[in-house]
Structure formats: C-alpha cells, structure tokens
C-alpha cells in the first residue's frame, strides 16, 4: 500500500524525492535507448512518419523540439559509449549529455584526437553527480574552441557564427547569437541611431530601458528591410508578414473604413463568404459555431501568423489597418473556393493626405518621419 505524501516524515520526503529523481534519469535513458532501437529496426511504414521524432510528437506529450533532441541523442550516443554509460547509469542528466555530445560530434578543428578523448572524459567527470553545473561545462567547451577552434582569432572566426531563434510557450521569441566582431559591428552600427532616447514633446524623459530601445530598433530594421524592393524571393514572392484572419473577426476589429473599399473586388468576394460556407451559424442545426471555435480561448486571439501562431485582437487590428488585403472564400472543410484581387486597405491617396495633415507619426512625442510610418484608421482631430 502506497503511503500518501502528506503522511511521510521529513526524512522520507527527502529520500523519496531523491529516489524519484534518480528513477526519472533512468527512465529518460531507457527512452533514448528505445528510440535508438526504433530508429534502427522499425520501418517508416510501421511508424507512419519519416522518422521517430514525428512519431514521438504524435503519440506522446513531447514537443517537436524535445522529440528531435531525443532522436539526436539516440543516434549520437551510439558513437560515444562513455557518454552513453554515464546516462544509462543515471549519473549524468540528458541535458549535460546533449551538451557534451555536441562537442564530441563537432570538436575544434585543431584539437588532436587524444585531446578530444581527454577533454570528453574530463567533461563527463564534471557532469557526473549532484555537483555538476552546466556553466562549468560550457566554459570548458568555450576555452577549447578559443584555443583549438581555428587559426583565426575568435573575434574574426566567422565559422563560429550562430543565431538561435526559439519560440517559447507564451508565443514569444527568444534569440541567442554568437557573432564575429565585424558582424557585431554591423549590428551595433545599424542599431545605434535608432536606440537613442526619444523624450516627449514636453521634455519628459524616454521611459524605455536600453534593452527595450534596442528591441524597438531591431523591429524597425526588420520593417525597413521588408519594405524595401531589393530582397530575395521565397516561394515566388518577396518575404513579408502574412496574417490569416476570418472576415467576421476582421470586421469586428472595426479597423477598416468601409466607405473606402466597398466597391473593390476584395470586399465583394469576401462578402460572399459571409453566407453558407463561412457562416457562424450552422444552416442544418442553427447552432452558433463561434462558441465552439473559442472553446479553448478567451476570444481575444483572432489572427494567425504562419511562424508564430495566434495573434491578439489589438495586434491584428494594427497589422490589418495598413496592409495588402486578399479575401479567400473557404468552404466548411477549409478548402478555398475563390481568391479575390489583392487591394491595399490604406490607399496611396489616403497616405498622402495623412502625410499632409500629420507630417509624420501622429503618436504624441514620437517624431518619426512620414516615410517610416504606416496609416491607421484612428480618428484624429484635424485641428
């Protein structure tokens, strides 16, 4: 009979927590070993996926990134039994194993084989037991790369350049970069004029932190790049942001001035989607499908970005105000029935009128020139 946790003594709580943690390490090691066998023995037809990562993601609660990491470990540990032994005995965590395996698979160019073996053994020792610390292992790897990585000094070695972009669970993006000195200089040169504090018109200091100003400047650089004509194409088009949103949600944002676009083809085609196929009311049952559509949300996420997923109502409003709008009529199964002509929601005439009226950004204290701004259907006093 299992004792309830609340019935355990303090000593038993500590012992059980430690024992469970060790069991988790052993179970993770067994999962890696099982995936290694699956990768070797189970066919694609049996899996139903090109590889074990897709199968893991579809049959467990693992995220794609975690599943890919497990598969990479399963394949890599076959070549380094010393790392595998430390994992299989539960004396080293999977995260530390992945870190050491990455070094072992791509060692510094000028480090001889004997040095690689010695360094790997030292890292395994440092990663073994409760006293193991990730920062110490990373520091050792960095020192080895600095010393044996290349004939070039670290600030000039472009082969070490890396940029990681990880989407987090809260739909934000975390960036981590390692650049050579010249690339870093380009970045700082581009950011510098855009990161200066911008006091308000009454002299109130800019409340943004330096980190916030750098983030705003980086976003502005992306805006200017995506707005330029000298860009490579992808899928036959210039790179641009695509916001997918239902017609009903777009109308509910009250962003567009309907008097400006009532006669264009986009609006006429989109109006057709308000009928049977895309209606919020099921014609057979009379039920409101909108209630089911928002079953797992609070009704505020109405837009969808191909890379980052759902987007809030306010940001959808901002993007939809000054954009190229294309209406696609879909049937009840999500199949496209009609693709309308693309039209801009803020016309060239409107943009010229806004420039003549406001001479730049209308937000108090901003001061951006008109060429750097976008048009939005926000009522502003003419006086």
């Amino acid at each position: 009979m299992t004792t309830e946790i609340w019935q355990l003594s303090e000593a038993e709580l500590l012992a059980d927590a430690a024992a469970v943690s060790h069991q988790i390490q052993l179970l993770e090691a067994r999962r890696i070993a099982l995936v290694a066998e699956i990768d070797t023995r189970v066919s694609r037809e049996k899996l139903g996926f090109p590889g074990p990562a897709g199968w893991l993601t579809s049959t467990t609660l693992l995220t794609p990134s975690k599943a890919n990491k497990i598969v990479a470990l399963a394949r890599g540990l076959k070549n380094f039994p010393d790392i595998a032994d430390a994992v299989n005995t539960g004396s080293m965590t999977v995260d530390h194993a992945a870190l050491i395996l990455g070094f072992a698979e791509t060692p510094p160019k000028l480090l001889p084989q004997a040095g690689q073996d010695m360094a790997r053994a030292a890292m395994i020792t440092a990663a073994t037991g409760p006293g193991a610390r990730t920062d110490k292992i990373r520091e050792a790897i960095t020192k080895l790369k600095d010393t044996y990585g290349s004939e070039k000094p670290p600030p000039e070695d472009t082969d070490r350049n890396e940029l990681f972009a990880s989407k987090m669970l809260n739909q934000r993006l975390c960036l981590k970069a390692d650049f050579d000195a010249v690339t870093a200089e380009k970045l700082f040169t581009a950011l510098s004029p855009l990161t200066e504090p911008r006091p308000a018109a009454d002299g109130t200091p800019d409340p943004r932190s330096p980190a916030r100003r750098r983030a705003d400047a980086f976003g502005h650089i992306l805006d200017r790049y995506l707005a330029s004509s000298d860009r490579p194409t992808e899928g036959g088009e210039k790179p641009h942001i695509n916001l997918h949103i239902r017609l009903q949600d777009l109308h509910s944002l009250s962003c567009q001035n309907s008097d400006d676009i009532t006669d264009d083809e986009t609006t006429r085609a989109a109006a057709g989607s308000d009928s049977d196929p895309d209606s919020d009311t099921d014609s057979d049952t009379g039920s409101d499908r909108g209630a089911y559509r928002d079953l797992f949300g609070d009704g505020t996420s109405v837009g969808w970005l191909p890379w980052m997923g759902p987007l809030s109502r306010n940001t959808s409003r901002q993007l939809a105000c000054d954009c190229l709008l294309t209406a696609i009529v879909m049937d009840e199964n999500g199949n496209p029935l009609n693709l309308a002509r693309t039209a801009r929601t803020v016309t060239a005439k409107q943009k010229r009128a806004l420039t003549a009226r406001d001479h730049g950004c209308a937000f108090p204290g901003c001061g951006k020139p008109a060429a750097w701004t976008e048009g939005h259907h926000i009522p502003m006093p003419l006086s």
Side-chain angles (χ1 to χ4, degrees):
M1 180 177 178
T2 304
T3 304
E4 295 290 341
I5 293 179
W6 64 270
Q7 295 177 311
L8 297 176
S9 65
E10 292 181 354
E12 289 172 331
L13 284 172
L14 296 174
D16 276 18
V20 168
S21 297
H22 183 66
Q23 288 297 319
I24 290 174
Q25 299 294 335
L26 294 177
L27 288 172
E28 285 191 326
R30 181 168 176 80
R31 180 170 59 185
I32 291 172
L34 290 169
V35 170
E37 283 296 304
I38 291 173
D39 191 34
T40 303
R41 293 167 47 189
V42 182
S43 65
R44 290 187 176 187
E45 292 75 16
K46 185 69 173 180
L47 278 177
F49 292 89
W55 175 81
L56 276 172
T57 303
S58 66
T59 56
T60 70
L61 298 179
L62 293 172
T63 62
S65 60
K66 181 66 174 179
N68 285 322
K69 183 177 182 180
I70 291 172
V71 173
L73 279 167
R75 293 171 177 172
L77 291 180
K78 295 178 180 179
N79 302 319
F80 298 95
D82 49 354
I83 305 176
D85 288 342
V87 174
N88 293 333
T89 57
S91 59
M92 182 168 62
T93 66
V94 172
D95 290 334
H96 285 159
L99 189 61
I100 299 173
L101 180 62
F103 168 82
E105 290 181 327
T106 56
K109 296 178 180 179
L110 304 181
L111 182 63
Q113 184 61 52
Q116 296 176 28
D117 296 338
M118 293 175 60
R120 190 172 67 254
M123 291 179 194
I124 292 174
T125 300
T128 300
R133 294 294 180 268
T134 303
D135 55 349
K136 294 297 183 181
I137 302 171
R138 290 187 183 277
E139 182 180 357
I141 293 175
T142 300
K143 288 181 178 179
L144 288 169
K145 287 184 176 180
D146 285 345
T147 306
Y148 300 100
S150 173
E151 296 178 354
K152 296 180 181 178
E156 302 172 17
D157 188 1
T158 57
D159 291 338
R160 294 176 54 180
N161 286 3
E162 293 179 321
L163 176 61
F164 299 96
S166 303
K167 189 171 75 169
M168 298 183 290
L169 293 178
N170 62 356
Q171 297 300 121
R172 294 184 63 81
L173 185 70
C174 181
L175 295 178
K176 180 182 177 182
D178 182 3
F179 291 147
D180 65 279
V182 175
T183 303
E185 186 70 15
K186 293 177 183 178
L187 178 61
F188 285 130
T189 301
L191 290 175
S192 180
L194 301 172
T195 54
E196 296 180 359
R198 295 199 302 266
D202 60 359
T204 302
D206 191 336
R208 299 176 302 161
S209 66
R212 170 65 189 276
R213 296 201 304 269
R214 285 193 294 271
D216 291 345
F218 188 71
H220 178 68
I221 291 172
L222 295 179
D223 289 338
R224 300 300 295 168
Y225 170 74
L226 292 176
S228 68
S229 58
D230 186 17
R231 289 176 290 140
T233 61
E234 183 179 45
E237 293 183 315
K238 299 288 187 181
H240 57 278
I241 294 177
N242 287 287
L243 171 66
H244 300 266
I245 186 170
R246 297 185 316 121
L247 176 66
Q248 292 87 345
D249 292 329
L250 183 61
H251 281 176
S252 69
L253 297 178
S254 302
C255 173
Q256 299 188 73
N257 185 342
S258 59
D259 293 337
D260 295 331
I261 60 173
T262 50
D263 291 333
D264 68 41
E265 178 187 355
T266 298
T267 305
R268 292 197 303 273
S273 67
D274 280 333
S275 57
D276 295 339
D278 200 28
S279 175
D280 271 350
T281 301
D282 192 309
S283 59
D284 295 330
T285 64
S287 62
D288 183 3
R289 293 188 299 188
Y292 298 100
R293 185 163 29 243
D294 289 334
L295 183 61
F296 297 103
D298 57 3
T300 60
S301 295
V302 295
W304 187 271
L305 297 173
W307 284 103
M308 295 301 295
L311 201 62
S312 71
R313 187 175 297 271
N314 286 337
T315 305
S316 296
R317 178 187 296 115
Q318 181 180 356
L319 291 179
C321 275
D322 190 356
C323 70
L324 293 173
L325 177 65
T326 303
I328 305 175
V329 181
M330 316 285 284
D331 65 14
E332 65 275 11
N333 297 317
N335 299 313
L337 300 177
N338 184 29
L339 179 65
R341 177 175 59 86
T342 299
R344 177 165 286 282
T345 55
V346 174
T347 65
K349 288 183 178 180
Q350 288 176 318
K351 188 61 183 290
R352 285 194 293 268
L354 290 171
T355 301
R357 184 189 70 177
D358 300 325
H359 308 293
C361 182
F363 189 83
C366 178
K368 287 183 180 179
W372 292 8
T373 62
E374 296 179 354
H376 292 284
H377 292 284
I378 303 174
M380 296 288 291
L382 292 175
S383 58

